[in-house]
């Protein structure tokens, strides 16, 4: 088997919003994310999930900075500095224009940056040490950042690039329309859906259980946050899901019961009937997504 890039997981997602302070307060109150720090030099605010029973948490899963609403970049974790250097060299040998390793942001160590075939900025970063869990209560039990789903004018091309260049593995597909990829046993780390201009469709957080989704629904109702779609069960990945859109137009998914693929050698990616398309695969329980989701 050819040597794979030493990428282990989705480390963080960096978002631009007009008012990072207001967004951080909203995500803490409504999503139960905890603030772990601020960087005065970059003006960024760092948030993370606060799973119950954990004494230490990642120093950041969401990074907020000021600007027009957009995905700034997303980061993938590698084990150590040697793996980061090796990944940079491997990517250069594959013809990718790579920056680094060097320090792009003062709040973390050296990283590597590149752009994928749709122009998204992708960062490889050494997985940072965990920090003490902020001593705050949470409305429900978010476990961790799960995946990023990206719009693409040509999702088949994007999925092929991520397989050929980034060594991700295909988990499921709706041909020409939707592709789910992984770099570890979890069904989805990066996904691509057919859309207009390249950008963020949604970001996903794993939640502990179905019971926690019930708590989420009650908490959203009490805080004026309206569920856009769900609860339901996806076909690809077999996850139970809920989606909502925040005041800045960014879509979030809370999901549980995530499929795991432990044996890459024997797994055969699922191919979902393109005649039924997204409407048929996105919710096996029946109710179709609203037009805003599509």
């Amino acid at each position: 088997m050819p040597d794979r890039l030493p990428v282990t997981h989705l480390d963080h997602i960096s978002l631009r919003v007009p008012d990072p302070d207001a967004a951080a307060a909203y995500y803490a109150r409504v999503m139960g994310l905890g603030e772990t720090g601020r960087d005065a030099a970059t003006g960024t605010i760092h948030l993370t999930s606060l799973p119950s029973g954990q004494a230490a948490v990642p120093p950041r899963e969401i990074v907020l900075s000021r600007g027009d609403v957009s995905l700034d970049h997303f980061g993938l974790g590698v084990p150590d500095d040697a793996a980061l250097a090796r990944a940079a060299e491997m990517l250069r040998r594959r013809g990718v224009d790579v920056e680094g390793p060097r320090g792009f942001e003062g709040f973390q160590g050296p990283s590597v940056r590149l752009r994928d075939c749709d122009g998204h900025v992708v960062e490889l970063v050494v997985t940072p040490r965990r920090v003490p869990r902020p001593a705050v209560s949470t409305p429900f039990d978010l476990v961790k950042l799960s995946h990023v789903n990206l719009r693409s004018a040509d999702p088949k091309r994007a999925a092929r690039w991520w397989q050929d260049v980034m060594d991700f593995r295909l988990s499921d597909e709706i041909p020409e329309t939707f592709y789910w990829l992984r770099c570890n046993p979890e069904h989805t780390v990066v996904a691509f859906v057919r859309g207009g201009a390249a950008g963020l469709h949604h970001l996903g957080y794993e939640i502990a259980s179905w019971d926690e989704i019930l708590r989420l629904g009650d908490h959203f109702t009490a805080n004026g946050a309206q569920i856009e779609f769900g609860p339901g069960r996806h076909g690809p990945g077999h996850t139970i899901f809920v989606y909502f859109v925040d005041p800045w137009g960014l879509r979030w998914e809370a999901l549980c019961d995530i499929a795991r693929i432990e044996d890459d050698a024997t797994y055969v990616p699922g191919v979902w009937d393109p005649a039924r398309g997204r409407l048929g695969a996105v919710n096996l329980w029946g109710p179709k997504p609203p037009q805003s989701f599509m």
Side-chain angles (χ1 to χ4, degrees):
M1 181 183 297
D3 194 20
R4 285 179 177 165
L5 285 178
V7 172
T8 58
H9 67 288
L10 178 61
D11 183 82
H12 65 276
I13 296 177
S14 181
L15 303 171
R16 291 191 179 275
V17 290
D19 188 341
D21 288 292
Y26 180 88
Y27 297 147
R29 176 172 59 86
V30 175
M31 286 297 296
L33 297 179
E35 183 175 322
T36 52
R38 299 184 177 222
D39 185 77
T42 60
T44 56
I45 302 174
H46 309 160
L47 305 170
T48 195
S49 53
L50 304 173
S52 63
Q54 298 293 315
V57 295
R60 75 282 183 277
E61 293 174 329
I62 302 296
V63 178
L64 301 176
S65 59
R66 191 175 303 277
D68 293 337
V69 177
S70 61
L71 170 67
D72 183 77
H73 71 272
F74 60 96
L76 302 170
V78 302
D80 52 37
D81 289 337
L84 184 66
R86 181 162 62 90
E89 180 57 29
M90 291 173 68
L91 288 166
R92 289 190 174 101
R93 289 202 304 267
R94 295 173 186 185
V96 179
D97 185 9
V98 174
E99 294 183 78
R102 67 177 178 84
F104 291 93
E105 295 167 308
F107 57 82
Q108 66 183 23
S111 61
V112 164
R113 286 193 175 183
L114 62 140
R115 289 184 181 270
D116 75 357
C117 62
D118 281 337
H120 297 293
V121 177
V122 182
E123 182 174 58
L124 305 184
V125 59
V126 175
T127 303
R129 292 182 180 178
R130 295 190 160 225
V131 299
R133 184 187 188 278
V136 298
S137 61
T138 56
F140 40 80
D141 193 7
L142 285 187
V143 176
K144 65 179 179 65
L145 183 63
S146 167
H147 66 269
V148 59
N149 186 308
L150 301 165
R151 296 191 312 270
S152 175
D154 190 344
K156 181 178 181 179
R157 170 176 171 262
R160 187 73 261 165
W161 187 92
W162 275 79
Q163 291 172 82
D164 292 344
V165 176
M166 300 299 292
D167 293 328
F168 276 53
R169 280 81 76 196
L170 181 66
S171 297
D172 277 286
E173 66 174 298
I174 303 172
E176 310 295 334
T177 303
F178 215 143
Y179 296 82
W180 293 263
L181 299 106
R182 68 190 188 279
C183 62
N184 59 41
E186 294 178 5
H187 178 272
T188 310
V189 175
V190 175
F192 296 94
V193 62
R194 182 172 294 281
L200 179 67
H201 183 271
H202 71 265
L203 58 91
Y205 258 94
E206 183 179 351
I207 195 168
S209 67
W210 170 246
D211 286 342
E212 295 303 316
I213 286 182
L214 297 179
R215 292 179 62 196
L216 176 150
D218 289 340
H219 179 75
F220 276 14
T221 298
N223 284 270
Q226 185 174 359
I227 290 174
E228 179 193 32
F229 179 36
R233 185 183 286 280
H234 289 318
H238 209 58
T239 52
I240 297 172
F241 66 84
V242 167
Y243 292 90
F244 89 104
V245 179
D246 69 23
W248 297 273
L250 297 167
R251 179 177 291 105
W252 300 65
E253 179 185 15
L255 66 159
C256 65
D257 202 17
I258 299 170
R260 292 180 62 85
I261 299 163
E262 302 291 352
D263 188 348
D264 287 332
T266 59
Y267 179 75
V268 178
V271 180
W272 294 80
D273 182 2
R276 297 179 67 202
R278 290 169 66 183
L279 291 176
V282 75
N283 188 8
L284 298 183
W285 290 353
K288 305 306 181 188
Q291 188 57 41
S292 60
F293 181 88
M294 302 297 290

